[in-house]
Amino acid sequence: MAAYVGLTKPRVIELLLLTTVPVMFYAARGVPDLGLVVWTVLGGTFSAGSASVFNCVYDRDIDEQMRRTRRRALPRHIVSPRAALVFGFVLGILSTVILYLGVNPLSALLSVTAIAFYVFGYTMLLKRRTTQNIVWGGIAGCFPTLIGWTAVTGSLSWTPVVLFMVVFFWTPPHTWALALRYREDYANVDVPMLPVVKPAAEVGRQIVIYSWVMVATSLLLWPVADTSLFYPVAAAVLGGVFLVQAHRMWDRTKGTENLAVIQPMQLFHTSNLYLSLLFVAVAIDPLISR
């Protein structure tokens, strides 16, 4: 059981749900219906798990050679590829049925689209071919903002699109920091992540650029969604902390490729905290402005 759960990448699911539920609070302008939250979270968990399982099946050849992933169930031959594939389809079907019947058809459609984009767009098409793999492939991870919104409203608007773009611009700094830490692994399996093909200083520069755009986009929610002052203040403070960390890492990359000096995992952990707290602010804002 632990092996099958591991195939779903629970830590990734946790981050995805952290961008789903707060959006539901904002869409409801308060506390959303508990039953709706349960069905959305359950369907979203199965959906993200399904995409991760398919990713593990397709990437099992390179996962076996990478330090970060070689302890997964497929490289260790605890679960067979066929069994994992069946598991992925079961999760995908369950997520679609749950979201269709328990939430609404639009949310179910967005979930299926996210799975397809992650599997076919990122895993199969982009990951092993271009340094832009995580930039465009990361779109799949932005869909929970849309799903959370449509679960409550049944329609789309500019508010979830802005939050979609925040996650879009957050993904490269988050992933490139991790990829910098494990760049030798990616190089050994010929996956052209940006830190593999570019020097650390260029990676740091790109991270800073995306970080500034991310923070600017997060502040755009204030006029677009007509939030209270609480949200932009929180977004500005969190964004300021993130930018300081991004610039510090960029400074540490200048003139060195030594990861002990660059310390990319500092920014990686900061990115996790930033996204979590930013979306907590999204959930709190309608509660204090009613």
Side-chain angles (χ1 to χ4, degrees):
M1 185 179 293
Y4 279 98
V5 171
L7 288 173
T8 66
K9 303 180 183 178
R11 290 183 179 179
V12 174
I13 292 175
E14 180 184 347
L15 271 177
L16 294 177
L17 294 180
L18 276 170
T19 60
T20 305
V21 177
V23 176
M24 296 182 72
F25 273 73
Y26 198 87
R29 303 303 298 176
V31 180
D33 178 76
L34 180 59
L36 183 63
V37 172
V38 170
W39 287 121
T40 305
V41 167
L42 189 61
T45 297
F46 287 164
S47 174
S50 172
S52 293
V53 172
F54 288 135
N55 172 265
C56 286
V57 172
Y58 190 83
D59 279 348
R60 63 189 185 277
D61 59 329
I62 61 176
D63 282 351
E64 193 167 3
Q65 303 176 59
M66 296 177 66
R67 287 174 297 164
R68 187 173 65 87
T69 57
R70 64 189 177 194
R71 300 298 296 172
R72 290 175 178 171
L74 284 168
R76 294 171 63 194
H77 307 289
I78 299 174
V79 177
S80 70
R82 179 172 179 173
L85 198 61
V86 171
F87 182 50
F89 275 112
V90 169
L91 289 178
I93 293 169
L94 282 175
S95 71
T96 305
V97 172
I98 288 170
L99 290 172
Y100 187 91
L101 298 178
V103 184
N104 58 56
L106 180 55
S107 296
L109 176 62
L110 289 170
S111 170
V112 171
T113 303
I115 295 173
F117 195 92
Y118 186 74
V119 175
F120 297 107
Y122 171 65
T123 302
M124 299 178 69
L125 179 63
L126 296 170
K127 183 175 180 177
R128 307 191 192 199
R129 289 182 172 86
T130 172
T131 58
Q132 295 296 299
N133 49 18
I134 198 61
V135 176
W136 300 109
I139 289 175
C142 305
F143 272 83
T145 60
L146 305 182
I147 294 171
W149 183 271
T150 57
V152 174
T153 66
S155 63
L156 287 169
S157 74
W158 284 111
T159 297
V161 171
V162 170
L163 293 171
F164 179 102
M165 296 307 298
V166 170
V167 180
F168 176 80
F169 290 118
W170 168 87
T171 301
H174 169 78
T175 308
W176 286 336
L178 182 66
L180 190 57
R181 166 66 179 82
Y182 292 101
R183 63 183 175 183
E184 290 184 7
D185 277 358
Y186 287 109
N188 289 337
V189 295
D190 296 322
V191 174
M193 299 295 286
L194 186 67
V196 172
V197 300
K198 296 292 183 180
E202 175 60 19
V203 177
R205 188 182 75 86
Q206 290 286 336
I207 284 175
V208 165
I209 292 172
Y210 273 92
S211 298
W212 274 99
V213 177
M214 174 195 73
V215 173
T217 305
S218 72
L219 293 171
L220 187 62
L221 187 68
W222 180 22
V224 169
D226 192 26
T227 70
S228 72
L229 282 175
F230 170 79
Y231 172 79
V233 170
V237 171
L238 293 169
V241 172
F242 192 99
L243 289 172
V244 167
Q245 290 296 325
H247 275 277
R248 284 179 176 173
M249 197 197 82
W250 186 22
D251 289 340
R252 293 194 296 268
T253 64
K254 295 174 182 177
T256 183
E257 296 291 327
N258 189 338
L259 294 180
V261 174
I262 298 171
Q263 301 177 50
M265 294 304 287
Q266 283 190 12
L267 183 64
F268 175 77
H269 294 307
T270 297
S271 69
N272 285 331
L273 188 61
Y274 167 83
L275 193 71
S276 301
L277 293 180
L278 182 74
F279 276 82
V280 167
V282 170
I284 292 175
D285 187 83
L287 298 178
I288 65 176
S289 62
R290 286 194 298 176

